[in-house]
Amino acid sequence: DTAVSQTPKYLVTQMGNDKSIKCEQNLGHDTMYWYKQDSKKFLKIMFSYNNKELIINETVPNRFSPKSPDKAHLNLHINSLELGDSAVYFCASSQRDISYEQYFGPGTRLTVT
Amino acid sequence: GQNIDQPTEMTATEGAIVQINCTYQTSGFNGLFWYQQHAGEAPTFLSYNVLDGLEEKGRFSSFLSRSKGYSYLLLKELQMKDSASYLCAGGYGQNFVFGPGTRLSVLP
């Protein structure tokens, strides 16, 4: 069984479109995260959710909005996509907070044309 | 900000030992993680240090000095499959910051 899964794995879309990336974890973890890894391979945290509460919100554009329908899911919605949004987006989860090991999903490669 | 620095690239020979260093800002620091990331794959957890000293886990060991803002990852008996990026990451309160990663190439 996959611990942390993301869909889709690849996403190619045009500038100005709105898209969503879904993430699910079956580990029973309390906290989920979204990361962006750019072309230089720099991994940067975007959001984390703990029991449906946003506890970290990095200075990302408000075009990005995380949505958590329940503890096992944290989806990422992106409005008005821009070229600079092209990157690999990773979802992750940890048992409690950031002081615990994080388990990463396989990543979603987003290409904006 | 919480700057985390590590060398960009390193090269070592199969069977050798390599040490990957990481320096970080100590203000607000909670603990230090190391993750491994193979090309095209997700990061996977290697170690977590909160207290000073060396933590050994098989071929991999991680060291932390809180007063110096310094950590290293030690890889022994290098294998070809150890070719990957090694990411140092620090916890700061509720924030989590990754370093730029060190790309390690293991040569035969």
Side-chain angles (χ1 to χ4, degrees):
Chain A
D1 282 344
T2 303
V4 183
S5 59
Q6 297 177 226
T7 53
K9 188 168 177 62
Y10 300 95
L11 182 55
V12 181
T13 188
Q14 292 183 330
M15 285 175 55
N17 285 349
D18 302 338
K19 290 294 179 185
S20 292
I21 307 172
K22 295 185 176 181
C23 178
E24 177 181 2
Q25 55 95 4
N26 63 5
L27 299 166
H29 285 172
D30 286 343
T31 305
M32 296 183 70
Y33 310 83
W34 276 106
Y35 288 89
K36 178 181 180 181
Q37 189 165 44
D38 59 26
S39 57
K40 296 183 179 178
K41 307 302 180 186
F42 216 118
L43 195 61
K44 186 173 181 180
I45 191 167
M46 300 176 71
F47 302 103
S48 73
Y49 255 77
N50 183 316
N51 291 327
K52 292 193 173 184
E53 288 186 58
L54 180 67
I55 58 173
I56 300 176
N57 189 344
E58 283 292 305
T59 53
V60 298
N62 58 13
R63 299 182 293 104
F64 291 79
S65 55
K67 298 192 189 318
S68 181
D70 54 57
K71 199 172 88 165
H73 297 84
L74 183 64
N75 303 325
L76 183 65
H77 190 75
I78 316 169
N79 289 329
S80 303
L81 277 156
E82 300 177 357
L83 292 177
D85 298 333
S86 295
V88 179
Y89 291 84
F90 286 101
C91 176
S93 72
S94 65
Q95 186 176 0
R96 299 269 172 82
D97 53 31
I98 61 163
S99 62
Y100 287 76
E101 170 187 353
Q102 292 181 39
Y103 293 77
F104 283 79
T108 296
R109 181 174 293 278
L110 171 65
T111 303
V112 183
T113 62
Chain B
Q2 295 105 8
N3 290 334
I4 296 183
D5 290 317
Q6 47 182 134
T8 305
E9 293 190 27
M10 297 184 70
T11 303
T13 306
E14 194 175 13
I17 299 173
V18 71
Q19 178 175 311
I20 303 175
N21 296 325
C22 170
T23 58
Y24 62 88
Q25 283 193 267
T26 57
S27 176
F29 173 78
N30 294 338
L32 197 290
F33 288 83
W34 284 96
Y35 282 82
Q36 180 191 58
Q37 186 177 24
H38 284 99
E41 297 183 10
T44 55
F45 170 82
L46 290 177
S47 67
Y48 179 47
N49 293 68
V50 176
L51 303 176
D52 285 355
L54 187 68
E55 298 256 352
E56 298 188 65
K57 192 186 293 186
R59 294 189 300 114
F60 292 6
S61 302
S62 57
F63 172 83
L64 180 69
S65 169
R66 296 182 68 99
S67 61
K68 296 182 179 178
Y70 168 68
S71 172
Y72 67 73
L73 181 69
L74 192 70
L75 292 77
K76 303 176 186 176
E77 301 169 18
L78 279 172
Q79 302 175 9
M80 299 298 289
K81 67 178 182 179
D82 297 331
S83 291
S85 287
Y86 291 85
L87 310 175
C88 175
Y92 293 87
Q94 294 294 338
N95 199 2
F96 196 74
V97 181
F98 274 96
T102 298
R103 189 164 63 186
L104 174 67
S105 299
V106 180
L107 306 178

